[in-house]
Amino acid sequence: MIPPVLPTYNRADVAFVRGEGPYLFDETGKRYLDFGAGIAVNALGHAHPYLVSALKAQSEMLWHTSNLYRVPGQESLARRLIELSFADSVFFTNSGAEAMECAIKTARRYHYVNGAPERYRLITFEGAFHGRTLATIAAGGSPKYLEGFGPKVDGFDQVPFGDFEAVKRAAGPHTAGILIEPIQGEYGVRVTPPGFLKRLREFCDASGLLLLLDEVQTGMGRTGRMFAYEDEGMTPDIMALAKGIGGGFPFGACLVTEKAAKGMVAGTHGSTYGGNPLAMAVGNAVLDLMTAPGFLEQVRRTGSHFQQHLAMLLSEYPHVVSEVRGRGLMLGLKLHVPAPAFIAALRERGMLAVGATENLVRLVPPLIVGEEHLREAVEALAATCAGYEAERKAV
Ligand SMILES: *Cc1c(COP(=O)(O)O)cnc(C)c1O
């Protein structure tokens, strides 16, 4: 019999009832150190008092009006995101995939209104993940996510990850732009080669193409900068954000330059809920905390300490761990042993982490974790590695 909740997820048999900072508590009262953070979503931990009070205050005033009217929270949050980034304008959505849809539509409309409607194709990269809508599974190109869902949405040309020559070969008279994650999250915290994004920028400028970044996972402080592109010496034309931007409240945003947004005039795009007052109140509160002096420096410092700890795990357990990857607090341990079982064993020990396509444990804790949480995490990781090591020696 089909369960009441459509069984599209392989769920772990645990349900959380409460959260506090980087900790979650299940129905039995057991405490978990949450280094998955709802897949890089709870950037400020669980039940942050400042976010709770912002949401509470807004919830007692107004939940929803409509994009038929001005929404002051959108205007203030958009101004702040513009101030912090390359962008000149923002469209608010309810999720990452919707932010990506807006990004793709913006790129196509740009060429359309410039008299080149044949330029509708985007070059994307193997291992990419951009969401689960029909267009974003086509952009991501994963056969597993495309299978059985009918004709693949046309307009995406995929090339090998980090292969600049392949990008040049794939570009043609139908190309609208290039779409890339600065660090591939879902695939396994795969960082683009140094200088690659800058070369893409130069190539786009020389060829009249738009550069689209999917920073749904890497954005909002995750890598130790507000946006990952800041470490790359370049800026995009269009960028999708979500996950950390709401600290757990569902929303996303598509940031654009004035030039790229040329086609997005009244009537071209919309959303019933996008940018609703509740989301905007939380989003503004999230930014208050993330722009506080020292916040991002702290993320960089914590991230680099965590990376050092993980490098030690690698040297201590070379038969279990094969590689440490990532930047800031977007880190991954590539394993010799199956990651799903490793993550289950970790959970038994009271620590949560997330898997990835490429047999990897993704460590994406709330950005507020301190040294004491790192120590606790490294202890749980080391104990789990030691368990595998003991098993291996016993054989
Ligand atoms: C999570 C994610 C998405 C999709 O976001 P949803 O909110 O699940 O639609 C898109 N791109 C990247 C890089 C992501 O990590």
Side-chain angles (χ1 to χ4, degrees):
M1 210 171 65
I2 192 167
V5 175
L6 199 67
T8 61
Y9 277 93
N10 271 321
R11 296 170 194 267
D13 187 18
V14 56
F16 303 108
V17 293
R18 187 169 73 80
E20 194 182 325
Y23 294 104
L24 281 171
F25 299 85
D26 74 9
E27 293 164 311
T28 69
K30 181 176 169 182
R31 189 179 87 160
Y32 297 80
L33 180 66
D34 184 8
F35 270 44
I39 319 191
V41 167
N42 303 95
L44 298 154
H46 298 280
H48 192 293
Y50 187 72
L51 301 189
V52 171
S53 76
L55 182 59
K56 254 189 181 161
Q58 185 61 47
S59 74
E60 285 163 6
M61 281 194 296
L62 190 64
W63 290 20
H64 176 78
T65 53
S66 164
N67 286 311
L68 295 173
Y69 312 105
R70 284 181 46 223
V71 180
Q74 283 187 25
E75 294 168 8
S76 58
L77 185 54
R79 269 192 213 99
R80 297 174 76 182
L81 289 169
I82 288 163
E83 186 68 31
L84 289 165
S85 75
F86 70 95
D88 302 312
S89 197
V90 183
F91 183 88
F92 290 106
T93 69
N94 308 294
S95 67
E98 284 172 87
M100 274 309 312
E101 290 275 343
C102 180
I104 296 163
K105 288 176 77 174
T106 302
R108 289 186 177 188
R109 274 292 288 191
Y110 167 79
H111 291 288
Y112 173 82
V113 296
N114 283 328
E118 72 284 2
R119 285 195 179 274
Y120 68 93
R121 306 190 69 83
L122 292 176
I123 296 171
T124 67
F125 293 87
E126 287 171 8
F129 181 78
H130 300 296
R132 297 291 205 113
T133 62
L134 287 170
T136 55
I137 56 175
S142 157
K144 196 175 78 177
Y145 293 160
L146 282 159
E147 188 185 3
F149 292 115
K152 185 177 149 188
V153 170
D154 183 36
F156 302 96
D157 298 308
Q158 200 154 53
V159 300
F161 177 78
D163 186 341
F164 186 67
E165 292 308 313
V167 170
K168 285 203 291 194
R169 278 196 302 275
H174 299 290
T175 306
I178 302 172
L179 165 61
I180 186 167
E181 297 157 84
I183 301 175
Q184 287 188 338
E186 206 64 20
Y187 183 80
V189 194
R190 188 157 64 160
V191 183
T192 51
F196 189 68
L197 292 178
K198 203 168 174 191
R199 289 180 80 186
L200 292 184
R201 175 73 275 171
E202 288 159 5
F203 180 68
C204 285
D205 288 342
S207 322
L209 305 181
L210 295 175
L211 184 51
L212 290 69
L213 287 185
D214 181 346
E215 290 229 30
V216 167
Q217 193 160 153
T218 54
M220 305 313 294
R222 178 55 55 193
T223 68
R225 305 281 173 200
M226 192 57 82
F227 310 110
Y229 74 76
E230 292 171 48
D231 276 324
E232 304 288 342
M234 50 73 72
T235 58
D237 301 293
I238 301 173
M239 177 170 76
L241 295 173
K243 296 207 162 95
I245 198 171
F249 196 93
F251 87 92
C254 179
L255 277 61
V256 295
T257 62
E258 183 165 14
K259 174 189 145 189
K262 187 173 172 190
M264 301 306 276
V265 297
T268 53
H269 195 46
S271 167
T272 296
Y273 293 123
N276 68 78
L278 290 173
M280 297 300 99
V282 177
N284 273 300
V286 165
L287 266 196
D288 289 344
L289 296 172
M290 286 190 180
T291 56
F295 183 89
L296 294 172
E297 284 87 336
Q298 176 68 25
V299 173
R300 291 197 289 277
R301 201 173 322 122
T302 314
S304 109
H305 289 171
F306 196 22
Q307 207 161 2
Q308 285 163 23
H309 284 299
L310 297 178
M312 274 159 67
L313 274 184
L314 170 64
S315 62
E316 227 170 301
Y317 301 101
H319 299 288
V320 185
V321 180
S322 68
E323 200 185 328
V324 177
R325 294 177 178 175
R327 194 189 295 160
L329 283 171
M330 183 169 178
L331 297 171
L333 280 184
K334 196 159 181 236
L335 301 182
H336 291 299
V337 300
F342 188 98
I343 289 165
L346 207 54
R347 189 168 62 243
E348 283 302 304
R349 290 185 187 278
M351 177 176 166
L352 304 177
V354 195
T357 308
E358 207 189 31
N359 202 48
L360 184 128
V361 177
R362 247 188 299 175
L363 298 160
V364 283
L367 306 181
I368 49 148
V369 290
E371 294 295 330
E372 69 276 24
H373 307 118
L374 292 192
R375 264 198 303 280
E376 205 181 321
V378 172
E379 264 170 40
L381 288 163
T384 306
C385 288
Y388 278 96
E389 190 62 29
E391 232 174 77
R392 197 183 70 91
K393 288 200 171 129
V395 177

